Amino acid sequence: MDSLTGQPRPVSRRWRFTGWLLAAVWLFFLNVPLSTALDQPQPWRRIVGVTTLVAFGLGYVLLFQWARNLREHLRPIPPRRAGIALVGLVVLGLASIPGTAGDWTATLVFVAAAAVFLLSAVQALVIVALCALIPLVGAWLVPSWTGESTVTVAVLLASFAMFGVSRLAQRNSELRAAQQEIGRLAVAEERARAARDLHDILGHSLTVVAIKAELAGRLIEVDTARAAAEIADVERLARAALADVRQTVGAYREVTLAAELTGARSALAAAGIAADLPTDVPRLPAEWDRLFGWAVREGVTNVVRHSGARCCTVRVDRNGVEVSDDGSGPSTSDVTGHGLVGLRERARRLDAVVTVGRRPAGGFLLRVHAPGEGR
């Protein structure tokens, strides 16, 4: 399946040729009735025999290709049209009798095989039984028709072989459908991941920009120099956010714990919230460093946006990271927001545990930690 259009990819020319060959190779079973038709002393019998056999062979190949094309595109075979097509094959086989005599029964091999490929199991079983009995009954009614027991064996063998081919085709179709569904889910997951990362990156940056812009507005008539400094920070943060977006579009932005602690210090200072942050961080595996960085980003963003806190504390060790404040405590949006959904998805990949709630002393608490006591 094409990951952009969601449509099945076209079948290659080589595979189409293989399909034609697979259908046409079995036409060698018509060599006996064709030889009989060519040996007829009367021209009209030769013409009728050869013409009907050629039409029969062409019809069988086209019918096989039609059914195969439907399977390739994961569409069901219409039972009514399949039944009409099988009746057409039988009529062509019967029409060859003037030129092929009893050898026309070789066409029943193809009718039985087509029934197995086109119809349900019960319907196909009935058709195969009839095709196997007709040569025997015909030989009993018309003693000049000989060798019909061989046709009966051929009908049974061809039906058994086509049963295997049809089951294989069905399994291939199911596998292809499963692969297409996996591809669709992979595309959807990648889109969700990009949207989640974009939300997390811009949510933090734009929150700090809004706070600094508000602070600059309050200071512009009181402390022009500091207001100018805040405006300069707004410009810097806006440019950094733009750079983050560009990096996210090209390749996902690399988040580190140290960088997020530095950003958290700036954001908390702009919001007028006292920051109690670690001055250094332990050496962590890359995937845990990224996860803890995302946790600091999400926790501090929630503190700045919703808490009304006076102090925010971040604690980090090799087993976990904790962000807490002395504000109003978690609200519904704090617990179920998009940022926490993304954080939980990242934590799930490492079997980490995300805890969100209220501190015993009051305020907001976000903790991400390893599933055991250590890693």
Side-chain angles (χ1 to χ4, degrees):
M1 172 177 284
D2 192 298
S3 60
L4 297 178
T5 64
Q7 299 297 322
R9 290 193 177 103
V11 180
S12 68
R13 181 178 301 177
R14 180 179 179 182
W15 182 245
R16 286 197 298 267
F17 174 76
T18 303
W20 282 99
L21 185 62
L22 183 63
V25 71
W26 297 103
L27 295 180
F28 78 92
F29 277 113
L30 294 178
N31 67 325
V32 173
L34 184 61
S35 298
T36 302
L38 292 173
D39 291 339
Q40 290 291 338
Q42 296 173 292
W44 74 270
R45 290 183 182 275
R46 287 199 300 270
I47 293 173
V48 170
V50 172
T51 302
T52 52
L53 288 175
V54 169
F56 181 91
L58 182 61
Y60 172 79
V61 171
L62 291 176
L63 179 60
F64 184 87
Q65 282 299 106
W66 169 70
R68 184 170 175 271
N69 184 62
L70 290 177
R71 291 181 184 274
E72 286 290 336
H73 290 84
L74 306 177
R75 297 201 299 266
I77 298 174
R80 181 180 177 83
R81 294 178 64 182
I84 293 173
L86 286 175
V87 171
L89 288 181
V90 173
V91 169
L92 287 173
L94 291 172
S96 71
I97 290 178
T100 62
D103 290 334
W104 78 275
T105 54
T107 62
L108 296 175
V109 176
F110 297 89
V111 174
V116 172
F117 195 74
L118 296 174
L119 303 179
S120 66
V122 175
Q123 293 172 328
L125 183 61
V126 173
I127 299 297
V128 169
L130 290 174
C131 290
L133 289 174
I134 286 174
L136 300 177
V137 174
W140 179 67
L141 295 175
V142 185
S144 62
W145 292 1
T146 58
E148 276 62 35
S149 60
T150 303
V151 174
T152 298
V153 174
V155 166
L156 297 176
L157 291 178
S159 300
F160 182 77
M162 187 56 72
F163 176 79
V165 171
S166 63
R167 296 288 82 79
L168 178 62
Q170 180 180 345
R171 295 296 180 268
N172 286 340
S173 297
E174 293 172 353
L175 177 60
R176 190 175 297 108
Q179 290 172 336
Q180 292 177 3
E181 181 65 13
I182 291 171
R184 186 189 67 79
L185 293 176
V187 171
E189 173 64 20
E190 192 66 16
R191 289 173 178 168
R193 181 183 175 192
R196 182 190 65 219
D197 284 1
L198 195 61
H199 167 271
D200 292 348
I201 290 169
L202 284 183
H204 176 80
S205 300
L206 294 180
T207 296
V208 178
V209 165
I211 291 173
K212 284 184 172 290
E214 181 183 358
L215 178 59
R218 293 199 304 264
L219 291 174
I220 195 166
E221 295 182 358
V222 179
D223 190 342
T224 305
R226 187 178 174 191
E230 295 296 338
I231 292 297
D233 275 350
V234 167
E235 179 183 2
R236 178 184 60 79
L237 288 168
R239 292 184 184 279
L242 179 60
D244 288 345
V245 171
R246 286 172 176 168
Q247 289 178 0
T248 302
V249 171
Y252 286 113
R253 178 178 182 265
E254 187 71 15
V255 172
T256 64
L257 177 58
E260 293 305 323
L261 286 171
T262 300
R265 194 180 303 277
S266 175
L268 292 169
I273 300 174
D276 181 6
L277 308 180
T279 56
D280 57 358
V281 295
R283 292 181 61 84
L284 298 167
E287 64 273 16
W288 287 95
D289 188 81
R290 283 193 296 271
L291 176 61
F292 288 178
W294 282 113
V296 170
R297 170 181 282 264
E298 177 60 24
V300 171
T301 299
N302 282 336
V303 170
V304 171
R305 280 180 175 174
H306 311 298
S307 69
R310 291 171 297 176
C311 179
C312 175
T313 302
V314 176
R315 294 286 180 261
V316 180
D317 59 36
R318 290 187 56 81
N319 292 319
V321 59
E322 183 178 286
V323 180
S324 61
D325 63 57
D326 59 354
S328 58
S331 64
T332 302
S333 62
D334 295 329
V335 177
T336 61
H338 292 292
L340 281 176
V341 171
L343 181 61
R344 287 190 175 98
E345 289 177 358
R346 294 185 180 92
R348 195 177 300 122
R349 296 193 187 100
L350 298 177
D351 293 328
V353 180
V354 178
T355 303
V356 180
R358 184 182 298 274
R359 291 196 316 162
F364 176 82
L365 172 66
L366 167 65
R367 187 164 187 262
V368 178
H369 56 93
E373 295 185 1
R375 284 183 302 281

